[in-house]
Amino acid sequence: MKSIQIFDPALCCSSGVCGVDVDQQLVTFAANVEWAKQQGIAVERVNLAQQPLAFAQNAVVKGFLERSGAESLPLILIDGEFALAGRYPTRDELARWAGVTAVLAAQAAGGCCSGGRCC
Amino acid sequence: MRFLDQPPRFLFFTGKGGVGKTSLACATAIRLAGLGRRVLLVSTDPASNVAQVFEQPIGNALTPIAAVPNLSALEIDPEAAAQAYRDRIVGPVRGVLPDDVVRGIEEQLSGACTTEIAAFDEFTGLLTDTRLTDGFDHVIFDTAPTGHTIRLLQLPGAWSGFLENNTEGASCLGPLSGLETQREQYAAAVSALADPARTRLVLVARAQASTLREVARTHAELAAIGLTRQFLVINGVLPEAEGATDDALAVAVLRREAAALVELPEALRELPTDHVPLMPFNLVGLPALAALLGSAAAQDDVPGAGASPAGRPALPKLASLVDDLAQDGHGLVMLMGKGGVGKTTLAAAIAVELAQRGFAVHLTTSDPAAHLAETLEGSLDNLTVSRIDPQAETERYRQHVLDTKGKDLDARGRAVLEEDLRSPCTEEIAVFQAFSRIIREAGRKFVVMDTAPTGHTLLLLDATGAYHREIARNMDKSGVQHFTTPMMQLQDPKQTKVILVTLAETTPVLEAANLQADLRRAGIEPWAWVINNSLAAAARTESKLLAQRATREWPQIAAVREQHAKRVALVPVQAAEPIGVARLLALAEGGTVAPAAAPSHP
């Protein structure tokens, strides 16, 4: 299975509740990561404020920070290679990257798709 | 002394800065060591004077005290602990990652919670590692962790989540995740704290209404966590004999202290309580400390006692600060300081002074003691008063986030969000958000607030851009285009004046200086300092005890004036609880018992 690494900006909480306005993207993504783990997907989040060394020791991430700055995070790597930056992946994308067949339709309880996108 | 009766292994003294925790901890240590017990004294006071008390260097290692057999001491500097923690995280990437990235990381790690948790990390070993403390019968701490810290460590699922998933789960453990100590050790430390057979918590207060309310909150918070074995010490109580001379100030102080004790908050009444009298000497050196708990005869005097304050520099009254404020005709005035220093009273006094001069004023307070705001409502035509209930605001905010942002989450995702919403930042943000709605009025009138966000919080909010987004949306709704963001408004001295409130004592002055440094990091320069509750500013007194205390305030007043503040005002200790327009105006004018006789500001 492919391993997915998410390099977060400097966050106090990865669920994003630490702000005047709670960031919907972070809330949704925290839930998606929980879901992915339950599916057995290898997802790892690295927080700039807590593990900066992990950023410095990875040439891809370090180069990205130098070129684009911390403002352009998050950065997502799949098996160590650049996959996505500037936004968080959807539940769908996580599943596709990991090669897990997502059963999205079965998950929709209240007429709303999971993954933070409403039908 | 009841708190000394059959003491368990661990003793914690807690209370706001300046109430005498360190002196009591030292005195207790000397007393127990004198009974032949082997005692370790641990100070985590950032203004620790334990070394001064025992007249020998101590520092960050177990040090036997030469003058007291059976006693050893250890000093933990929480700021140094936090700095060491920051260096451990940031040091390896400095010069490797871009400078602005490194600065952003450092700010994330500069909050109060980092400092507190780093200090807790330092003394966790003392609670759990028997090798360190086996040689001691008692370990005495001059501080205690706050309810917030303990709750963080107790969050259900926090640790199990941490252990299973490593960094996810309760992610708002924030600074904890980088600490070296084993998670199991934290759990053991918390259970030692909550075990009454091992731990006694001594709440230290003064006989002042606001201090006692603050202590009642601490009591409830820690009791809810399981630290139920609590004792109360009211320190520095003026002996009744001082009123015999009919000295106006002494009589007033006696009356006010008695009133505060009669109205002791309900929650504190059940606790075993001791009163420790005000001492006529400085609590430095062994004889003085031994005398504090009544075992030896008190020395009568120290040099300089009762010295006349004549020739001391005059300091402006609060009313002269208000003269300066009034020149702008409108603006935001925020009072900032640690709990119990009198922010709400001073905010009310400033609001009343401004309203009295004909300006439209909105006073807004988050003080749980609502009576002050209630007595002012409707008392002056151009004064409006509103109150923000921190608990209600936090609950509303939490519910709002769950209802909106959490609505599409599955059960597990919702559980993660709910857990993070219990973080300590949530309350500060919820309250500040409520204040933000009122801040906008400051373009037209005076808005006086009894609280302010810390510089750390502002920087974080600003860095995430969340603050700007919030305002941009509000602008669209109201159609006002020229409005600046709150961060810009707070940084502009024309629009916002932050006033730091402190007391003329070592620890409170140091705490205020720390708040100032924090605001400066956010580009906010405090406009003035107000020294509240000053005996030095009060009427001349025949009471030797009070004159002594007044004399000891001057070095602190000088430090504020010369090292910290751009502008200073001095507010004398009040004869009665300053409630209502008349008393608040008298307070601002520098009055107390007999204003005409006050020699310190001619």
Side-chain angles (χ1 to χ4, degrees):
Chain A
M1 171 153 339
K2 292 197 167 72
S3 84
I4 302 172
Q5 279 178 300
I6 292 102
F7 289 86
D8 280 305
L11 298 172
C12 177
C13 312
S14 59
S15 65
V17 296
C18 293
V20 158
D21 189 24
V22 175
D23 191 336
Q24 179 70 59
Q25 290 180 59
L26 284 168
V27 173
T28 308
F29 186 65
N32 285 345
V33 167
E34 271 301 304
W35 171 85
K37 285 186 173 161
Q38 281 180 291
Q39 309 303 308
I41 299 176
V43 195
E44 185 197 0
R45 289 184 82 171
V46 191
N47 186 336
L48 180 58
Q50 287 161 9
Q51 298 138 279
L53 201 56
F55 286 67
Q57 286 171 342
N58 184 315
V60 178
V61 182
K62 185 166 178 270
F64 177 83
L65 276 183
E66 280 159 4
R67 277 192 309 279
S68 311
E71 298 79 5
S72 305
L73 294 171
L75 170 67
I76 291 91
L77 304 186
I78 300 175
D79 283 344
E81 287 182 43
F82 183 97
L84 180 70
R87 71 166 173 87
Y88 286 101
T90 61
R91 186 172 293 199
D92 214 2
E93 283 167 329
L94 287 174
R96 186 155 47 80
W97 294 341
V100 171
T101 320
V103 272
L104 291 175
Q107 299 234 342
C112 236
C113 300
S114 47
R117 301 171 306 155
C118 262
C119 304
Chain B
M1 292 287 152
R2 303 175 72 176
F3 76 93
L4 285 170
D5 189 33
Q6 298 182 349
R9 188 160 160 72
F10 300 118
L11 274 158
F12 287 88
F13 290 85
T14 185
K16 75 177 184 78
V19 292
K21 295 187 292 288
T22 303
S23 299
L24 279 170
C26 290
T28 303
I30 293 168
R31 167 60 82 85
L32 292 174
L35 295 173
R37 313 265 172 77
R38 294 158 302 168
V39 180
L40 172 61
L41 174 66
V42 182
S43 173
T44 62
D45 191 333
S48 174
N49 60 350
V50 176
Q52 196 191 340
V53 163
F54 292 111
E55 292 158 342
Q56 75 169 69
I58 296 171
N60 199 7
L62 261 168
T63 308
I65 300 298
V68 186
N70 301 324
L71 178 62
S72 294
L74 171 67
E75 286 176 317
I76 293 171
D77 177 350
E79 287 298 332
Q83 189 57 49
Y85 168 66
R86 273 192 294 276
D87 289 345
R88 202 152 70 227
I89 299 271
V90 179
V93 298
R94 198 169 277 132
V96 181
L97 292 178
D99 288 348
D100 58 329
V101 172
V102 172
R103 266 196 303 278
I105 300 169
E106 273 181 320
E107 186 51 46
Q108 281 285 349
L109 302 175
S110 298
C113 51
T114 304
T115 308
E116 214 200 292
I117 289 177
F120 187 75
D121 183 57
E122 291 267 316
F123 73 65
T124 292
L126 298 172
L127 290 172
T128 57
D129 188 344
T130 49
R131 279 168 310 170
L132 284 172
T133 52
D134 252 356
F136 298 101
D137 299 311
H138 299 285
V139 186
I140 300 174
F141 297 85
D142 71 350
T143 185
T146 65
H148 279 325
T149 298
I150 300 174
R151 267 204 310 279
L152 269 178
L153 299 167
Q154 277 187 330
L155 272 182
W159 296 112
S160 53
F162 236 88
L163 294 171
E164 286 157 22
N165 304 330
N166 194 12
T167 50
E168 261 86 35
S171 42
C172 222
L173 288 169
L176 262 183
S177 56
L179 290 171
E180 320 229 297
T181 309
Q182 290 298 311
R183 322 291 184 211
E184 292 86 348
Q185 213 181 340
Y186 285 122
V190 170
S191 79
L193 278 171
D195 178 0
R198 281 186 281 171
T199 299
R200 177 175 295 178
L201 187 78
V202 184
L203 302 163
V204 187
R206 299 249 183 209
Q208 289 159 356
S210 64
T211 317
L212 289 166
R213 280 196 298 269
E214 185 86 5
V215 164
R217 273 198 292 279
T218 308
H219 160 74
E221 201 182 34
L222 292 172
I225 289 160
L227 278 79
T228 48
R229 183 125 179 235
Q230 300 186 6
F231 286 68
L232 176 64
V233 173
I234 315 261
N235 193 21
V237 180
L238 188 66
E240 267 184 51
E242 292 297 308
T245 55
D246 280 341
D247 176 66
L249 184 62
V251 169
V253 170
L254 279 172
R255 201 183 300 140
R256 202 172 163 194
E257 289 190 346
L261 293 176
V262 165
E263 286 163 33
L264 195 68
E266 199 67 44
L268 300 177
R269 285 170 198 257
E270 311 278 296
L271 301 180
T273 301
D274 296 297
H275 289 192
V276 175
L278 191 67
M279 292 290 161
F281 45 81
N282 262 320
L283 290 168
V284 172
L286 291 181
L289 281 164
L292 177 62
L293 294 177
S295 58
Q299 312 144 290
D300 192 47
D301 219 321
V302 295
S308 159
R312 301 286 191 183
L315 285 173
K317 310 159 189 176
L318 187 62
S320 357
L321 278 190
V322 177
D323 289 340
D324 286 355
L325 284 174
Q327 286 175 5
D328 293 333
H330 65 90
L332 176 62
V333 180
M334 295 197 292
L335 285 95
M336 188 175 201
K338 288 279 181 169
V341 293
K343 294 186 292 290
T344 305
T345 301
L346 296 186
I350 289 171
V352 166
E353 274 279 333
L354 285 167
Q356 188 82 349
R357 292 162 202 220
F359 296 102
V361 182
H362 186 161
L363 168 67
T364 178
T365 158
S366 63
D367 195 317
H371 63 281
L372 188 133
E374 277 160 12
T375 53
L376 284 179
E377 183 67 65
S379 59
L380 290 168
D381 279 345
N382 37 4
L383 176 66
T384 40
V385 183
S386 64
R387 191 171 154 257
I388 284 167
D389 176 351
Q391 264 190 331
E393 286 300 328
T394 309
E395 194 42 48
R396 192 162 69 197
Y397 176 77
R398 198 176 284 149
Q399 209 48 54
H400 173 75
V401 172
L402 285 170
D403 290 348
T404 54
K405 320 281 170 162
K407 72 177 190 302
D408 294 331
L409 299 178
D410 53 27
R412 212 181 147 97
R414 214 177 141 85
V416 172
L417 179 62
E418 248 177 338
E419 195 152 280
D420 272 354
L421 278 171
R422 285 196 248 175
S423 89
C425 335
T426 304
E427 179 173 323
E428 194 183 344
I429 286 163
V431 170
F432 188 57
Q433 202 178 37
F435 276 126
S436 294
R437 295 193 280 270
I438 301 164
I439 286 178
R440 280 178 229 128
E441 295 176 13
R444 306 185 298 279
K445 53 163 101 166
F446 278 108
V447 174
V448 184
M449 298 180 11
D450 69 351
T451 187
T454 60
H456 173 65
T457 299
L458 287 173
L459 280 172
L460 290 190
L461 297 181
D462 206 48
T464 60
Y467 209 178
H468 290 276
R469 276 206 301 280
E470 170 84 354
I471 293 316
R473 203 168 44 226
N474 287 325
M475 275 197 293
D476 292 344
K477 267 182 231 153
S478 62
V480 183
Q481 293 302 316
H482 59 269
F483 207 88
T484 51
T485 69
M487 186 68 168
M488 288 157 69
Q489 188 187 355
L490 297 179
Q491 286 168 334
D492 179 1
K494 285 292 298 166
Q495 299 185 61
T496 301
K497 296 190 169 54
V498 176
I499 298 176
L500 282 165
V501 184
T502 190
L503 307 173
E505 288 170 54
T506 321
T507 307
V509 167
L510 190 89
E511 287 172 342
N514 286 342
L515 287 172
Q516 174 158 283
D518 187 66
L519 283 169
R520 282 178 175 161
R521 279 211 321 274
I524 296 170
E525 183 60 37
W527 181 74
W529 284 47
V530 176
I531 301 169
N532 196 17
N533 252 333
S534 167
L535 276 169
R540 186 186 291 282
T541 175
E542 295 303 316
S543 158
K544 206 160 147 191
L545 266 175
L546 292 176
Q548 240 282 306
R549 296 253 309 160
T551 308
R552 264 190 273 150
E553 287 184 359
W554 283 107
Q556 293 306 320
I557 293 170
V560 169
R561 222 169 106 95
E562 285 153 25
Q563 293 162 32
H564 302 303
K566 297 232 152 59
R567 287 177 194 78
V568 190
L570 204 55
V571 173
V573 65
Q574 296 299 298
E577 190 90 354
I579 289 170
V581 171
R583 283 186 190 167
L584 287 168
L585 286 173
L587 175 152
E589 294 297 342
T592 166
V593 188
S600 55
H601 38 74

